[in-house]
Amino acid sequence: MARRKIVAGNWKMNMTPSEAVKLVETLKPLVVNDDVDVVFCVPAIDIIPVIEATKGTNIQVGAENMYYEEKGAYTGEIAPAMLTDAGVKYVILGHSERREYFKETDADINKKVLKAFEHGLTPIMCCGETLTQREQGVTMDFIRQQVKIGFQNVTADQAKTAVIAYEPIWAIGTGKTATTEQAEEVCAGIRACIAEIYDEATAEAIRIQYGGSVNGKNAADLFAQKDIDGGLVGGASLKADFGSIVNYK
């Protein structure tokens, strides 16, 4: 069975609530594609206005992060039930910026992945290497570690519904894109890793995105690859160009 493509925008720390609603109004008519799952992953303060603004459309709303506890004395954190109650369907976990700036470990991300599944949220778990790691030839070793720890204690049935986003850190926001071959090679390696942890059926079901300077010009080529099931899009998700990524064919 062919996997359904998923194109998610990661807005990062951009867009006030009023700007967010304006952007949604601009993008709504541009991102209509019945063959693609379209997700806007927005800052926490924008979630409720964006859910309101996307009602009746094909757009689903995701969060950019969440904490792995149900509730409690964790000032500034967002609980999973807060997201589900608001109508959120997806959550980005383990983005390289969270790992780098906020020191999130593979074990932290694993706790978040497990908690997301517990609440019926679909995790978009990010993985990816630095330029130094690529030059040292340890790309797959590093990414396999991120995937194996990130999916510890996740069942095969849960894993089938998950999304993994491969984002080479050296290609995020730099304008550099991994070549189609580089992106496909790593995404195929991730799928092989999932097959090792679980089985072929799980590996065939899981959706793997590429992220890192995806735009309207390179999307069709990237998404045509056997193991690339869409994109996690940063900068271009804040512009009309996002429509041409969703409608890549």
Side-chain angles (χ1 to χ4, degrees):
M1 193 184 84
R3 290 180 298 273
R4 190 174 162 80
K5 293 280 189 269
I6 175 167
V7 177
N10 175 14
W11 289 13
K12 307 194 178 183
M13 198 176 75
N14 294 294
M15 298 287 141
T16 64
S18 56
E19 289 169 343
V21 171
K22 269 192 204 142
L23 179 60
V24 169
E25 293 307 327
T26 304
L27 291 177
K28 265 200 291 206
L30 305 177
V31 298
V32 178
N33 185 338
D34 293 339
D35 299 325
V36 174
D37 287 339
V38 179
V39 187
F40 290 178
C41 295
V42 306
I45 199 167
D46 295 343
I47 286 170
I48 288 170
V50 167
I51 280 173
E52 279 302 310
T54 55
K55 275 194 174 146
T57 72
N58 63 314
I59 300 161
Q60 293 180 305
V61 180
E64 296 181 13
N65 187 31
M66 63 164 224
Y67 200 49
Y68 50 71
E69 296 289 358
E70 293 290 333
K71 57 182 164 190
Y74 306 104
T75 301
E77 289 294 332
I78 306 282
M82 294 174 185
L83 299 180
T84 52
D85 189 65
V88 167
K89 303 287 186 218
Y90 292 84
V91 58
I92 297 174
L93 298 174
H95 192 278
S96 61
E97 290 155 2
R98 299 288 324 165
R99 293 174 189 263
E100 184 184 351
Y101 306 140
F102 305 104
K103 310 302 176 217
E104 290 188 7
T105 65
D106 291 335
D108 292 333
I109 291 147
N110 175 238
K111 286 187 203 168
K112 292 184 180 193
V113 166
L114 292 169
K115 189 54 77 174
F117 280 123
E118 213 178 291
H119 283 266
L121 288 159
T122 300
I124 299 176
M125 195 199 85
C126 301
C127 58
E129 82 285 14
T130 63
L131 189 56
T132 306
Q133 286 163 333
R134 178 162 278 274
E135 286 167 349
Q136 289 167 339
V138 298
T139 294
M140 274 327 299
D141 304 293
F142 182 70
I143 288 170
R144 282 166 60 84
Q145 178 175 316
Q146 289 181 317
V147 171
K148 285 189 166 184
I149 297 173
F151 276 76
Q152 236 174 350
N153 300 319
V154 170
T155 68
D157 282 343
Q158 289 172 331
K160 283 175 186 168
T161 68
V163 179
I164 297 176
Y166 165 54
E167 296 200 309
I169 296 167
W170 48 273
I172 299 174
T174 58
K176 283 184 186 171
T177 317
T179 65
T180 308
E181 293 71 30
Q182 286 171 324
E184 167 58 20
E185 183 185 10
V186 176
C187 290
I190 293 168
R191 203 173 298 286
C193 182
I194 292 291
E196 270 174 48
I197 302 170
Y198 301 103
D199 49 40
E200 282 301 328
T202 308
E204 278 306 305
I206 199 166
R207 294 189 289 179
I208 302 171
Q209 297 174 311
Y210 170 73
S213 304
V214 176
N215 57 48
K217 292 189 181 71
N218 58 29
D221 201 18
L222 287 162
F223 299 173
Q225 303 308 302
K226 186 166 84 72
D227 293 292
I228 300 178
D229 304 312
L232 183 59
V233 183
S237 70
L238 302 169
K239 300 184 266 208
D241 191 36
F242 192 60
S244 56
I245 298 171
V246 171
N247 291 286
Y248 61 96
K249 281 184 181 169

